[in-house]
Amino acid sequence: LAEDMSKLKQELDKCVAEREALEKSCFKLRAQKAREAKLRAAAMTKYGEASAFKTDPEHQMHVARVLMERAELRAQIRRSLRTLNSWRLLWSMSKQHQKSAKVGG
């Protein structure tokens, strides 16, 4: 009887672990689906009229998503350039300071 109980407990623990893994994956899928829906709504709101094929919603969505991704990439490039320019400024100031220290010292 004790062996049967331990086997049942192991099976129960295994089932609980599988259920928790399934719930976690379902949560991730729901979150991903919600993000995609939010992105789709934003893309259609901002770029929905950009498609020449007004009667084809799938094509409209594709064009809107491409334009949305392009805008995100451009924003990312602007942020990167801002950081790069800051580092360039710091580097040039450092070089000027080193030159003035050599001349003065």
Side-chain angles (χ1 to χ4, degrees), residues 48-57 59-60:
E49 298 299 318
S51 174
F53 302 101
K54 303 292 185 212
T55 58
D56 189 359
H59 185 265
Q60 276 185 315

Side-chain angles (χ1 to χ4, degrees), residues 52-90:
F53 302 101
K54 303 292 185 212
T55 58
D56 189 359
E58 189 174 320
H59 185 265
Q60 276 185 315
M61 186 59 219
H62 178 72
V63 169
R65 183 170 262 178
V66 167
L67 292 174
M68 187 84 158
E69 288 174 6
R70 183 183 74 172
E72 288 173 4
L73 286 172
R74 286 181 173 175
Q76 184 179 357
I77 288 170
R78 280 194 303 274
R79 286 190 301 270
S80 297
L81 284 175
R82 233 179 281 135
T83 304
L84 177 63
N85 289 336
S86 298
W87 279 107
R88 281 184 183 156
L89 177 64
L90 290 171

Side-chain angles (χ1 to χ4, degrees), residues 3-104:
E3 284 181 22
D4 290 341
M5 291 295 287
S6 65
K7 285 181 182 178
L8 286 174
K9 174 128 175 60
Q10 288 175 354
E11 287 181 27
L12 179 64
D13 291 342
K14 185 179 176 183
C15 288
V16 167
E18 288 176 0
R19 182 170 185 243
E20 288 174 355
L22 283 173
E23 285 177 354
K24 190 175 180 181
S25 66
C26 284
F27 179 76
K28 286 181 181 178
L29 285 173
R30 284 188 189 120
Q32 181 181 359
K33 192 173 181 180
R35 276 193 306 272
E36 287 178 0
K38 193 174 181 182
L39 176 69
R40 182 177 296 124
M44 286 303 287
T45 300
K46 196 167 186 179
Y47 300 107
E49 298 299 318
S51 174
F53 302 101
K54 303 292 185 212
T55 58
D56 189 359
E58 189 174 320
H59 185 265
Q60 276 185 315
M61 186 59 219
H62 178 72
V63 169
R65 183 170 262 178
V66 167
L67 292 174
M68 187 84 158
E69 288 174 6
R70 183 183 74 172
E72 288 173 4
L73 286 172
R74 286 181 173 175
Q76 184 179 357
I77 288 170
R78 280 194 303 274
R79 286 190 301 270
S80 297
L81 284 175
R82 233 179 281 135
T83 304
L84 177 63
N85 289 336
S86 298
W87 279 107
R88 281 184 183 156
L89 177 64
L90 290 171
W91 179 80
S92 67
M93 289 173 65
S94 169
K95 288 295 181 183
Q96 286 177 357
H97 179 70
Q98 288 174 1
K99 284 180 183 178
S100 67
K102 285 182 183 178
V103 170

